[in-house]
Amino acid sequence: MAEPDTDLDRRGVALGVGAYVTWGLFPAFWPLLDPAAPLEVLAHRILWTLVLMAVVLSVLHRWTDLRGLAPRTWLTVTAASVCIAVNWGVFIYGVAIGQVVEVALGYYMSPLVSVLLGVLVLHERPRPLQWAALAVATAAVVIISISNGRPPWLGLALAASFGVYGLLKKTVPLNPTAGLAAEGMVLGPIAAAFIVVLQVSGSGTLLDHGGWHIVLLATAGPVTAVPLVLYGAAARRIPLSTLGTLMYVTPTLQFLWGVLVLGESMPAVRWIGFGLVWVALAILTVDLVRSTRTTAPALRVEIS
């Protein structure tokens, strides 16, 4: 009997790395949109992502994917839209106030939150290693809270909003492109109205800082969509266990940006807390690899 081919698809790995590196460099992009405030940046990100997705669906002739969706599905899409808007907004705000390390913590914790939601919402029974990872992560949050003098609210909000978003997306019968377009259709009109109100009131920056500023604001759409396209292509080529392991590239780059570029403070206690987070993720990764040897993968990991 011939040995099974265990070689990874190099192009798939490259696509996955490309997606995660792009997400990891987001803290370097959003400050380029200054002096736009975080809420204005969020509104432009939502609006221009919708515009881009509308063009993509038109080119691919895939508007039919959104026709005939049940009202309950649209309610789920609406809930998912709110979750991802909160996630994007907290991310942009965290970068704006110089808390990139805490933003990275949120994405480090996202897989652990997904496990916790599986227990609380889906009544899944965690495996022993998953319980161990959750216990270590809980200790990490306590230690980081002591170091900060407060709980890491930004990180927890990012992890929770992204975890609930992923949970909702599991029930929406749409491919990633149509799903992102549907979410944009829910929030896009609100974002557009908000931008108009800002401009009329004199608080907006769209028309007051030159053409380059307008280009950068509009670029928020492609910047959002491109890594999702790369991720989707990678997911079709390489195993989930590999893709799930590669995802740690994103918060690692964000962490390094916060510490090495922005010079954020990392006292010893905070290092210990992050060390425990990394231990928890290592345990979770081992469990993921072991479980995918015997069961087909059912979870998709996406970062927005």
Side-chain angles (χ1 to χ4, degrees):
M1 180 180 296
E3 291 294 325
D5 182 9
T6 58
D7 292 338
L8 284 175
D9 185 315
R10 293 183 180 180
R11 181 173 295 181
V13 172
L15 289 168
V17 170
Y20 290 129
V21 168
T22 302
W23 281 318
L25 294 178
F26 270 13
F29 174 74
W30 300 119
L32 298 178
L33 276 57
D34 287 344
L39 278 178
E40 184 180 4
V41 172
L42 175 62
H44 278 283
R45 184 177 186 183
I46 293 169
L47 177 62
W48 294 111
T49 299
L50 170 60
V51 171
L52 180 61
M53 289 299 98
V55 171
V56 171
L57 287 184
S58 298
V59 171
L60 298 178
H61 304 289
R62 297 300 299 268
W63 282 105
T64 53
D65 292 350
L66 299 180
R67 294 175 187 167
L69 292 180
R72 184 171 182 176
T73 299
W74 277 111
L75 284 175
T76 304
V77 168
T78 300
S81 302
V82 172
C83 287
I84 199 60
V86 169
N87 186 269
W88 289 356
V90 171
F91 185 103
I92 293 167
Y93 175 73
V95 171
I97 64 173
Q99 295 294 324
V100 176
V101 169
E102 191 166 325
V103 165
L105 175 65
Y107 287 112
Y108 273 130
M109 293 179 62
S110 290
L112 296 160
V113 170
S114 294
V115 173
L116 183 60
L117 287 172
V119 175
L120 298 178
V121 179
L122 302 180
H123 306 293
E124 296 175 351
R125 185 173 182 178
R127 295 179 290 273
L129 285 179
Q130 290 177 318
W131 276 122
L134 288 172
V136 173
T138 300
V141 170
V142 171
I143 290 174
I144 292 172
S145 298
I146 294 172
S147 172
N148 292 347
R150 59 171 178 79
W153 295 119
L154 288 176
L156 292 173
L158 282 168
S161 59
F162 190 70
V164 175
Y165 175 72
L167 189 66
L168 292 168
K169 291 282 281 186
K170 285 171 67 68
T171 66
V172 175
L174 294 172
N175 62 58
T177 300
L180 191 58
E183 291 158 16
M185 290 172 65
V186 171
L187 294 178
I190 299 173
F194 181 71
I195 292 169
V196 170
V197 169
L198 286 178
Q199 289 302 128
V200 171
S201 67
S203 302
T205 66
L206 177 63
L207 303 177
D208 303 325
H209 295 274
W212 182 239
H213 184 64
I214 296 174
V215 170
L216 284 173
L217 288 172
T219 303
V223 163
T224 297
V226 166
L228 287 173
V229 172
L230 294 176
Y231 173 87
R236 291 191 294 268
R237 290 174 173 268
I238 59 178
L240 177 68
S241 57
T242 302
L243 202 58
T245 303
L246 287 175
M247 75 165 290
Y248 301 133
V249 169
T250 292
T252 298
L253 288 175
Q254 294 169 351
F255 176 83
L256 292 174
W257 185 269
V259 173
L260 301 180
V261 178
L262 301 181
E264 293 186 37
S265 175
M266 284 294 294
V269 176
R270 204 177 195 196
W271 276 112
I272 294 172
F274 267 85
L276 287 175
V277 170
W278 296 328
V279 168
L281 291 174
I283 294 171
L284 200 63
T285 301
V286 170
D287 179 75
L288 176 64
V289 172
R290 288 176 57 182
S291 65
T292 52
R293 289 176 180 174
T294 56
T295 61
L299 174 68
R300 293 173 63 85
V301 181
E302 298 179 8
I303 296 179
S304 298

Coordinates of all heavy atoms in Angstrom, one line a residue, residues 237-299:
R237 N -6.8 24.6 0.6 CA -5.6 23.9 0.2 C -4.8 23.1 1.3 O -4.1 22.2 1.1 CB -4.6 24.9 -0.4 CG -5.0 25.4 -1.8 CD -4.0 26.5 -2.3 NE -4.3 26.9 -3.6 CZ -3.8 26.4 -4.7 NH1 -2.9 25.4 -4.6 NH2 -4.1 26.9 -5.9
I238 N -5.0 23.6 2.6 CA -4.2 23.0 3.7 C -5.1 22.6 4.8 O -6.3 23.2 4.9 CB -3.1 24.0 4.2 CG1 -3.7 25.3 4.7 CG2 -2.1 24.3 3.1 CD1 -2.7 26.3 5.3
P239 N -4.7 21.7 5.7 CA -5.6 21.2 6.8 C -5.9 22.3 7.8 O -5.1 23.3 7.9 CB -4.7 20.1 7.4 CG -3.7 19.7 6.4 CD -3.4 21.0 5.6
L240 N -7.0 22.2 8.5 CA -7.4 23.2 9.5 C -6.3 23.3 10.6 O -6.1 24.3 11.1 CB -8.7 22.8 10.1 CG -9.2 23.7 11.2 CD1 -9.6 25.1 10.7 CD2 -10.4 23.1 11.9
S241 N -5.8 22.1 11.0 CA -4.8 22.2 12.0 C -3.6 23.1 11.7 O -3.1 23.8 12.5 CB -4.3 20.7 12.4 OG -3.7 20.1 11.2
T242 N -3.2 23.0 10.4 CA -2.1 23.9 10.0 C -2.6 25.4 9.9 O -1.8 26.3 10.4 CB -1.6 23.5 8.6 OG1 -1.2 22.1 8.6 CG2 -0.5 24.4 8.1
L243 N -3.7 25.6 9.4 CA -4.3 26.9 9.3 C -4.5 27.5 10.7 O -4.2 28.7 11.0 CB -5.6 26.9 8.6 CG -6.0 28.2 7.9 CD1 -5.0 28.8 7.0 CD2 -7.4 28.0 7.2
G244 N -5.0 26.7 11.7 CA -5.2 27.1 13.0 C -3.9 27.5 13.7 O -3.8 28.4 14.5
T245 N -2.8 26.7 13.4 CA -1.5 27.0 14.0 C -0.9 28.3 13.5 O -0.4 29.1 14.2 CB -0.5 25.9 13.8 OG1 -1.1 24.7 14.4 CG2 0.8 26.1 14.5
L246 N -1.1 28.5 12.1 CA -0.6 29.7 11.5 C -1.2 31.0 12.0 O -0.6 32.1 12.0 CB -0.8 29.6 10.0 CG 0.1 28.7 9.2 CD1 -0.4 28.6 7.7 CD2 1.6 29.0 9.3
M247 N -2.4 30.9 12.5 CA -3.2 32.1 13.0 C -2.4 32.8 14.1 O -2.7 34.0 14.2 CB -4.6 31.7 13.4 CG -4.7 31.1 14.8 SD -6.4 31.1 15.4 CE -6.6 32.8 15.8
Y248 N -1.6 32.2 14.8 CA -0.8 32.9 15.9 C 0.2 33.8 15.3 O 0.7 34.6 16.1 CB -0.2 31.8 16.8 CG -1.2 30.9 17.4 CD1 -0.9 29.5 17.5 CD2 -2.3 31.4 18.0 CE1 -1.8 28.6 18.0 CE2 -3.3 30.5 18.6 CZ -3.0 29.1 18.6 OH -3.9 28.3 19.1
V249 N 0.4 33.8 14.0 CA 1.3 34.8 13.4 C 0.7 36.2 13.6 O 1.4 37.1 13.9 CB 1.4 34.5 11.9 CG1 2.1 35.7 11.1 CG2 2.2 33.2 11.6
T250 N -0.6 36.3 13.5 CA -1.3 37.6 13.6 C -1.1 38.3 14.9 O -0.5 39.4 15.0 CB -2.8 37.5 13.3 OG1 -2.9 37.1 11.9 CG2 -3.5 38.8 13.5
P251 N -1.5 37.7 16.1 CA -1.3 38.4 17.3 C 0.2 38.5 17.7 O 0.6 39.5 18.4 CB -2.0 37.5 18.3 CG -2.1 36.2 17.7 CD -2.2 36.4 16.3
T252 N 1.0 37.6 17.2 CA 2.5 37.7 17.5 C 3.0 39.0 16.8 O 3.8 39.7 17.4 CB 3.2 36.5 17.0 OG1 2.7 35.3 17.7 CG2 4.7 36.6 17.3
L253 N 2.7 39.2 15.6 CA 3.1 40.4 14.9 C 2.6 41.7 15.6 O 3.3 42.7 15.7 CB 2.7 40.4 13.4 CG 3.5 39.5 12.5 CD1 2.9 39.4 11.1 CD2 4.9 39.8 12.4
Q254 N 1.3 41.6 16.0 CA 0.7 42.8 16.7 C 1.5 43.0 18.0 O 1.7 44.1 18.4 CB -0.8 42.5 17.0 CG -1.6 42.4 15.7 CD -3.0 41.9 15.9 OE1 -3.3 41.4 17.0 NE2 -3.8 42.0 14.9
F255 N 1.8 41.9 18.7 CA 2.5 42.0 20.0 C 3.8 42.6 19.8 O 4.3 43.6 20.5 CB 2.6 40.6 20.6 CG 3.4 40.6 21.9 CD1 2.8 40.9 23.1 CD2 4.8 40.2 21.9 CE1 3.6 40.9 24.3 CE2 5.5 40.2 23.0 CZ 4.9 40.5 24.2
L256 N 4.6 42.2 18.8 CA 5.9 42.7 18.5 C 5.8 44.2 18.1 O 6.7 45.0 18.5 CB 6.6 41.9 17.4 CG 7.0 40.4 17.8 CD1 7.5 39.7 16.6 CD2 8.0 40.4 18.9
W257 N 4.8 44.5 17.4 CA 4.6 45.9 17.0 C 4.4 46.8 18.2 O 5.0 47.9 18.3 CB 3.5 46.1 16.0 CG 3.3 47.5 15.5 CD1 2.6 48.5 16.0 CD2 3.9 48.0 14.3 NE1 2.6 49.6 15.2 CE2 3.5 49.4 14.2 CE3 4.8 47.5 13.3 CZ2 3.9 50.2 13.1 CZ3 5.2 48.3 12.3 CH2 4.7 49.6 12.2
G258 N 3.6 46.3 19.1 CA 3.3 47.1 20.3 C 4.6 47.3 21.2 O 4.9 48.4 21.7
V259 N 5.4 46.2 21.3 CA 6.5 46.2 22.2 C 7.7 46.9 21.6 O 8.4 47.7 22.2 CB 6.9 44.8 22.7 CG1 8.2 44.8 23.5 CG2 5.7 44.2 23.5
L260 N 8.0 46.5 20.3 CA 9.3 46.9 19.7 C 9.2 48.3 19.0 O 10.1 49.0 19.0 CB 9.8 45.8 18.7 CG 10.1 44.5 19.3 CD1 10.5 43.5 18.2 CD2 11.1 44.6 20.4
V261 N 8.0 48.5 18.4 CA 7.8 49.7 17.6 C 7.2 50.9 18.5 O 7.7 52.0 18.5 CB 7.0 49.5 16.3 CG1 6.8 50.8 15.6 CG2 7.6 48.4 15.5
L262 N 6.2 50.5 19.2 CA 5.5 51.6 20.0 C 6.1 51.7 21.4 O 5.8 52.6 22.1 CB 4.0 51.3 20.1 CG 3.3 51.2 18.7 CD1 1.8 50.9 18.9 CD2 3.4 52.5 17.9
G263 N 6.9 50.7 21.8 CA 7.5 50.8 23.1 C 6.6 50.7 24.3 O 6.8 51.3 25.3
E264 N 5.5 49.9 24.1 CA 4.5 49.7 25.2 C 5.2 49.0 26.4 O 6.0 48.1 26.2 CB 3.3 48.9 24.7 CG 2.5 49.7 23.7 CD 1.2 49.0 23.4 OE1 0.6 48.4 24.3 OE2 0.8 49.0 22.2
S265 N 4.8 49.4 27.6 CA 5.4 48.8 28.8 C 5.0 47.3 29.0 O 3.9 46.9 28.8 CB 4.9 49.6 30.0 OG 5.4 49.1 31.2
M266 N 6.1 46.6 29.3 CA 5.9 45.1 29.6 C 6.6 44.8 30.9 O 7.7 44.2 30.9 CB 6.4 44.3 28.4 CG 5.5 44.3 27.2 SD 3.9 43.4 27.5 CE 4.5 41.7 27.8
P267 N 6.0 45.1 32.0 CA 6.6 44.7 33.3 C 6.7 43.2 33.5 O 6.0 42.5 32.7 CB 5.7 45.4 34.4 CG 4.4 45.6 33.7 CD 4.8 45.9 32.2
A268 N 7.4 42.8 34.4 CA 7.7 41.3 34.6 C 6.4 40.5 34.8 O 6.2 39.5 34.2 CB 8.6 41.1 35.7
V269 N 5.5 41.1 35.6 CA 4.2 40.4 35.8 C 3.4 40.2 34.5 O 2.8 39.2 34.3 CB 3.4 41.2 36.9 CG1 2.0 40.5 37.1 CG2 4.1 41.2 38.2
R270 N 3.4 41.2 33.7 CA 2.7 41.1 32.4 C 3.3 40.1 31.5 O 2.6 39.4 30.8 CB 2.7 42.5 31.7 CG 1.5 42.6 30.7 CD 1.5 44.0 30.1 NE 0.2 44.3 29.5 CZ 0.0 45.3 28.6 NH1 1.0 46.1 28.3 NH2 -1.2 45.4 28.1
W271 N 4.7 40.0 31.5 CA 5.3 38.9 30.7 C 4.9 37.6 31.2 O 4.7 36.6 30.4 CB 6.9 39.1 30.9 CG 7.5 40.0 29.9 CD1 8.1 41.2 30.2 CD2 7.6 39.9 28.5 NE1 8.6 41.8 29.1 CE2 8.3 41.0 28.0 CE3 7.2 38.9 27.6 CZ2 8.6 41.2 26.7 CZ3 7.5 39.1 26.3 CH2 8.2 40.2 25.8
I272 N 4.8 37.4 32.6 CA 4.3 36.1 33.1 C 2.9 35.8 32.6 O 2.6 34.7 32.2 CB 4.3 36.1 34.6 CG1 5.8 36.2 35.1 CG2 3.7 34.9 35.2 CD1 5.9 36.5 36.6
G273 N 2.0 36.8 32.6 CA 0.7 36.6 32.1 C 0.7 36.2 30.7 O -0.1 35.2 30.3
F274 N 1.4 36.9 29.8 CA 1.5 36.5 28.4 C 2.1 35.1 28.2 O 1.7 34.4 27.4 CB 2.2 37.6 27.6 CG 1.4 38.6 27.0 CD1 1.0 39.7 27.8 CD2 0.9 38.5 25.7 CE1 0.2 40.7 27.2 CE2 0.1 39.5 25.2 CZ -0.3 40.6 25.9
G275 N 3.1 34.8 29.1 CA 3.7 33.5 29.0 C 2.7 32.4 29.2 O 2.7 31.4 28.6
L276 N 1.8 32.6 30.2 CA 0.7 31.7 30.5 C -0.3 31.6 29.3 O -0.8 30.5 29.0 CB 0.0 32.0 31.8 CG 0.7 31.8 33.1 CD1 0.0 32.3 34.2 CD2 1.1 30.3 33.2
V277 N -0.6 32.7 28.7 CA -1.4 32.6 27.5 C -0.8 31.8 26.4 O -1.4 30.9 25.8 CB -1.7 34.1 26.9 CG1 -2.3 34.0 25.6 CG2 -2.5 34.9 27.9
W278 N 0.5 31.9 26.2 CA 1.2 31.1 25.2 C 1.2 29.7 25.5 O 1.1 28.8 24.7 CB 2.6 31.7 25.0 CG 2.7 33.1 24.4 CD1 1.8 33.6 23.6 CD2 3.6 34.1 24.7 NE1 2.1 34.9 23.3 CE2 3.2 35.3 24.0 CE3 4.7 34.2 25.5 CZ2 3.9 36.5 24.0 CZ3 5.4 35.4 25.5 CH2 5.0 36.5 24.8
V279 N 1.4 29.4 26.8 CA 1.3 28.0 27.3 C -0.1 27.4 27.0 O -0.2 26.3 26.5 CB 1.6 27.9 28.8 CG1 1.3 26.5 29.3 CG2 3.1 28.2 29.0
A280 N -1.1 28.2 27.3 CA -2.5 27.7 27.0 C -2.7 27.5 25.5 O -3.3 26.5 25.1 CB -3.5 28.8 27.5
L281 N -2.2 28.3 24.7 CA -2.3 28.1 23.2 C -1.5 26.9 22.8 O -2.0 26.2 21.9 CB -1.9 29.4 22.5 CG -2.8 30.6 22.7 CD1 -2.1 31.8 22.0 CD2 -4.2 30.4 22.1
A282 N -0.4 26.7 23.4 CA 0.4 25.5 23.0 C -0.4 24.2 23.3 O -0.4 23.3 22.5 CB 1.7 25.5 23.7
I283 N -1.0 24.2 24.5 CA -1.8 23.1 24.9 C -3.0 22.9 23.9 O -3.3 21.8 23.5 CB -2.4 23.3 26.4 CG1 -1.2 23.3 27.4 CG2 -3.4 22.2 26.7 CD1 -1.6 23.7 28.8
L284 N -3.6 24.0 23.6 CA -4.8 23.9 22.7 C -4.4 23.4 21.3 O -5.1 22.7 20.6 CB -5.4 25.3 22.6 CG -6.9 25.3 22.1 CD1 -7.8 24.6 23.0 CD2 -7.3 26.8 21.9
T285 N -3.2 23.9 20.8 CA -2.7 23.4 19.5 C -2.4 22.0 19.5 O -2.7 21.3 18.6 CB -1.4 24.2 19.2 OG1 -1.7 25.6 19.1 CG2 -0.9 23.8 17.8
V286 N -1.8 21.5 20.6 CA -1.5 20.0 20.7 C -2.8 19.2 20.6 O -2.9 18.2 19.9 CB -0.7 19.7 22.0 CG1 -0.7 18.2 22.2 CG2 0.7 20.3 21.9
D287 N -3.8 19.7 21.4 CA -5.1 19.1 21.3 C -5.7 19.1 20.0 O -6.3 18.1 19.5 CB -6.0 19.7 22.4 CG -7.4 19.1 22.4 OD1 -7.6 18.0 22.9 OD2 -8.3 19.7 21.8
L288 N -5.6 20.2 19.3 CA -6.2 20.3 17.9 C -5.5 19.4 17.0 O -6.2 18.7 16.2 CB -6.0 21.8 17.4 CG -6.4 22.1 16.0 CD1 -7.9 21.8 15.8 CD2 -6.1 23.5 15.5
V289 N -4.2 19.3 17.0 CA -3.5 18.4 16.1 C -3.8 16.9 16.4 O -4.1 16.1 15.5 CB -1.9 18.6 16.3 CG1 -1.2 17.5 15.5 CG2 -1.5 20.0 15.8
R290 N -3.9 16.6 17.7 CA -4.3 15.2 18.1 C -5.7 14.9 17.6 O -6.0 13.8 17.1 CB -4.2 15.0 19.6 CG -2.8 15.0 20.1 CD -2.7 14.9 21.6 NE -3.4 13.7 22.1 CZ -3.6 13.4 23.4 NH1 -3.0 14.3 24.3 NH2 -4.2 12.4 23.8
S291 N -6.6 15.8 17.8 CA -8.0 15.5 17.4 C -8.2 15.4 15.9 O -9.1 14.7 15.5 CB -9.0 16.6 18.0 OG -8.7 17.9 17.4
T292 N -7.5 16.2 15.1 CA -7.7 16.2 13.7 C -7.1 14.9 13.0 O -7.3 14.7 11.9 CB -7.1 17.4 13.0 OG1 -5.7 17.6 13.5 CG2 -7.9 18.7 13.4
R293 N -6.4 14.2 13.8 CA -5.8 12.9 13.3 C -7.0 11.9 13.1 O -6.9 11.0 12.3 CB -4.7 12.4 14.2 CG -3.4 13.2 14.1 CD -2.4 12.6 15.1 NE -1.2 13.4 15.1 CZ -0.2 13.2 15.9 NH1 -0.3 12.3 16.9 NH2 0.9 13.9 15.8
T294 N -8.0 12.1 14.0 CA -9.0 11.0 14.0 C -10.4 11.5 13.6 O -11.3 10.8 13.3 CB -9.1 10.4 15.4 OG1 -9.4 11.5 16.4 CG2 -7.9 9.7 15.8
T295 N -10.6 12.9 13.6 CA -11.9 13.4 13.2 C -11.7 14.5 12.1 O -10.7 15.2 12.0 CB -12.6 14.1 14.4 OG1 -11.7 15.2 14.9 CG2 -12.8 13.1 15.5
A296 N -12.8 14.6 11.3 CA -12.7 15.7 10.3 C -12.9 17.0 10.9 O -13.7 17.2 11.8 CB -13.9 15.4 9.3
P297 N -12.2 18.0 10.4 CA -12.3 19.4 11.0 C -13.7 20.0 10.7 O -14.2 19.9 9.6 CB -11.2 20.2 10.3 CG -10.9 19.4 9.1 CD -11.2 18.0 9.3
A298 N -14.2 20.7 11.7 CA -15.5 21.4 11.5 C -15.5 22.8 11.8 O -16.4 23.6 11.6 CB -16.6 20.7 12.4
L299 N -14.3 23.3 12.3 CA -14.2 24.7 12.7 C -13.4 25.5 11.8 O -12.3 25.1 11.4 CB -13.7 24.8 14.2 CG -13.4 26.2 14.7 CD1 -14.7 26.9 14.9 CD2 -12.6 26.1 16.0

